[in-house]
Amino acid sequence: MAAAKSSTSRRRALKVGDHVAWNSEAGRVSGRIVRVHRKDVKYKGYMHHASREEPQYEIKSDKTDHVALHKGRALRKLR
């Protein structure tokens, strides 16, 4: 029996420059990916775990200068 593909491999990979949206405490937020982290990264005092299979995406908000890190499963690509 063939192994099932993970949900991240079925989706098209996100890349720098992609416009994405995610849910935050303040509601729906959108922004552009400015960097892709494929190794663990310390950011704002926290360790964010990342790998080639599950990268962390650094995103700059469209409305503010806020920068956030999220895994791909938390993001939705916008057109």
Side-chain angles (χ1 to χ4, degrees), residues 23-27:
N23 287 322
S24 78
E25 298 84 17

Side-chain angles (χ1 to χ4, degrees), residues 4-78:
K5 288 186 177 181
S6 72
S7 61
T8 53
S9 65
R10 277 186 256 149
R11 286 188 275 162
R12 196 169 76 93
L14 297 170
K15 62 186 183 309
V16 171
D18 283 350
H19 195 219
V20 296
W22 66 98
N23 287 322
S24 78
E25 298 84 17
R28 197 104 178 120
V29 181
S30 63
R32 296 231 175 245
I33 295 174
V34 294
R35 191 167 176 194
V36 179
H37 297 275
R38 291 184 175 87
K39 293 183 180 177
D40 291 352
V41 60
K42 193 167 188 177
Y43 183 73
K44 293 186 178 180
Y46 294 96
M47 180 59 71
H48 293 265
H49 299 286
S51 66
R52 289 184 78 50
E53 295 79 23
E54 263 196 302
Q56 287 271 359
Y57 297 93
E58 191 170 326
I59 310 142
K60 183 170 185 263
S61 170
D62 288 336
K63 293 185 179 180
T64 67
D65 286 335
H66 179 76
V67 174
L69 284 178
H70 292 291
K71 289 196 175 183
R73 65 179 172 250
L75 303 173
R76 183 172 61 97
K77 187 170 179 185
L78 302 175

